[in-house]
Amino acid sequence: MNRYIIQGILAMLFSSFLFSLMSAEAKVLMQTLPAMEVAFFRGFTMLLLLLPILIKSPLKSPKHKNGGWFFLLSRSITGGLSFIAFFYNIATISLGTATAFAQSMPLYIVLLSLIFLRERFNLGVICATIIGFGGILLICNPQVEGIGILNIIFGIISGLCMAIAFLNLRALKDYFNAWVAVFATGVAMSLITLAIWLCNIAPFNNAWAMPRGLEWLHIGLLGIFGTLGQHYLTRAYMLAPAGIVAPIDYTRLVFSIFLGILLGDSLPNLTTSVGIVLIVLAGIGVGLPILLADMKHCTKLSSSFRAKESTIPAKKPKKDS
């Protein structure tokens, strides 16, 4: 296997682990701080960490097109809303179930692409999407784990908004450098959470609590894990084809369930477990055509490279004078 593909897979695996650690840090902080305050610190610490890049790097390079501000605004707002919804669920239900809702993003991408982009998918992708939504229905059972209607609503928002953000990201790469979308999402997340707090909007109308002692350490780790997770996620997609590395991101569910249990979550019951498994299988099924195409392409490139190497004549050793 090509060493870049191996590096891409490892980068995605590390990214998934870092994002799980970020979620675990959020869970720890939410024991004493309101969810929206934690979401604000998640966005704000990321801005501070990315500020040196903002100062040194341009927004665009000569190869980029003019414009693209609508895509940037849409990406940042939907990405920020997705994180906020995800953080609400982290505070109120188990870490694994909250992550399962967020990981349903590929299913919404198929649905949105069918409705708005008029893209065509084969029968296998359609069946996988239906199975995935069946998994969402299983974990949406209000009698499971004390999941309420707000958890279901925010769970759907977290997956749907992230899908919209991802679709905007496809167009955004033609207009801006890669780090711009991450920075803009941090700005949107910080501003939206502040607006929610200032307007005292339910169900986020908790009083602001000033962090103390070790809470500042957890806030720092929250931002570091999230920013590094985003970095390695981007690196994974740069090193290897999307179809190969994207399924690796589902290890985030495994990490999140394990970390959630360490933090006091109960083991998922049978209904929730089946729902989570269906979402994972559906996500892999949706990406399977791309995975097979990318693997075939990589095999052809590897064979072509070896064939070229075999045709290069070996250098003759120099004779001793």
Side-chain angles (χ1 to χ4, degrees):
M1 187 181 288
N2 187 303
R3 67 186 180 92
Y4 290 111
I5 294 177
I6 295 173
Q7 289 175 5
I9 290 171
L10 292 175
M12 180 60 83
L13 191 63
F14 192 40
S15 167
S16 298
F17 181 61
L18 287 167
F19 276 128
S20 301
L21 289 175
M22 178 204 74
S23 301
E25 286 292 346
K27 188 86 171 176
V28 170
L29 283 166
M30 287 172 191
Q31 294 175 6
T32 53
L33 300 177
M36 284 306 95
E37 186 175 341
V38 177
F40 167 78
F41 281 120
R42 162 68 177 92
F44 188 69
T45 52
M46 184 169 67
L47 295 183
L48 293 179
L49 290 169
L50 290 175
L51 197 58
I53 300 177
L54 175 68
I55 295 170
K56 293 182 179 180
S57 303
L59 297 179
K60 296 173 177 279
S61 65
K63 65 179 182 180
H64 288 121
K65 302 176 183 177
N66 293 325
W69 295 101
F70 171 79
F71 294 116
L72 182 63
L73 183 64
S74 177
R75 152 72 191 185
S76 56
I77 291 175
T78 52
L81 288 173
S82 175
F83 268 111
I84 289 168
F86 177 48
F87 273 41
Y88 176 84
N89 274 350
I90 288 177
T92 51
I93 57 177
S94 71
L95 193 57
T97 306
T99 305
F101 273 121
Q103 292 292 89
S104 64
M105 176 192 73
L107 310 179
Y108 294 105
I109 288 178
V110 172
L111 190 63
L112 292 170
S113 298
L114 280 170
I115 296 172
F116 297 106
L117 303 181
R118 305 297 182 188
E119 291 188 13
R120 295 182 178 181
F121 299 94
N122 60 39
L123 184 61
V125 171
I126 301 297
C127 290
T129 305
I130 294 171
I131 291 170
F133 279 113
I136 293 174
L137 289 175
L138 287 177
I139 66 174
C140 282
N141 186 348
Q143 297 178 350
V144 175
E145 295 186 11
I147 293 178
I149 188 64
L150 280 178
N151 295 123
I152 296 171
I153 292 171
F154 285 119
I156 293 170
I157 289 173
S158 66
L160 179 60
C161 284
M162 188 55 71
I164 297 171
F166 186 83
L167 289 173
N168 277 284
L169 192 60
R170 287 183 184 178
L172 199 60
K173 66 181 181 181
D174 295 329
Y175 295 95
F176 295 97
N177 289 325
W179 65 270
V180 176
V182 182
F183 189 87
T185 301
V187 172
M189 193 174 178
S190 302
L191 292 177
I192 292 170
T193 49
L194 276 179
I196 289 171
W197 174 63
L198 290 172
C199 297
N200 202 28
I201 299 174
F204 308 110
N205 49 348
N206 301 96
W208 186 276
M210 182 57 65
R212 299 177 182 178
L214 284 176
E215 289 173 345
W216 286 111
L217 174 62
H218 287 296
I219 287 171
L221 292 173
L222 176 78
I224 290 170
F225 289 147
T227 306
L228 286 177
Q230 189 66 49
H231 167 74
Y232 281 102
L233 179 73
T234 305
R235 183 167 174 77
Y237 281 108
M238 289 174 66
L239 287 168
I244 293 176
V245 296
I248 309 298
D249 193 34
Y250 281 99
T251 56
R252 193 187 309 189
L253 262 172
V254 179
F255 293 137
S256 296
I257 290 171
F258 177 72
L259 291 171
I261 291 170
L262 289 180
L263 294 173
D265 290 343
S266 58
L267 278 167
N269 60 26
L270 182 60
T271 305
T272 304
S273 299
V274 171
I276 290 172
V277 170
L278 288 179
I279 289 173
V280 173
L281 292 177
I284 294 172
V286 165
L288 190 59
I290 302 173
L291 170 63
L292 295 175
D294 284 342
M295 289 184 70
K296 186 177 180 180
H297 179 66
C298 290
T299 303
K300 283 183 178 179
L301 286 178
S302 181
S303 300
S304 175
F305 180 73
R306 285 196 297 268
K308 285 182 180 179
E309 278 191 329
S310 63
T311 58
I312 298 174
K315 289 184 178 180
K316 294 181 179 179
K318 291 182 179 180
K319 293 181 179 180
D320 295 332
S321 55

